[in-house]
Amino acid sequence: MSTVLWRPEVNALTTPQSYTARCMPRGVVDYDGLAAEIARDNPIWDVGLIKSIIIARDNAVKWLLINGYK
């Protein structure tokens, strides 16, 4: 079972003092790591193909955002 890493953080704008939960990252996943995770669950797909699809999707999303789409 996965857990979320977090720590309490003081909210300096409130009186009396209050806190909020700040989520802490475990690490960073790059294109290779993401492609390997997807390939682990779908062994018939090649890691290189998955990586190229992820990069193509990101490029398409960037293009759409630059052109004013939400």
Side-chain angles (χ1 to χ4, degrees), residues 12-36:
L13 299 175
T14 60
T15 304
Q17 193 173 42
S18 66
Y19 297 86
T20 186
R22 169 72 64 174
C23 293
M24 307 301 294
R26 292 185 189 279
V28 178
V29 178
D30 59 358
Y31 287 122
D32 294 320
L34 183 58

Side-chain angles (χ1 to χ4, degrees), residues 6 17-18 23 27-28 31 35 37 39 51 54 59-62:
W6 69 280
Q17 193 173 42
S18 66
C23 293
V28 178
Y31 287 122
E37 281 296 312
K51 182 179 174 183
I54 294 169
N59 290 335
V61 169
K62 287 177 195 174

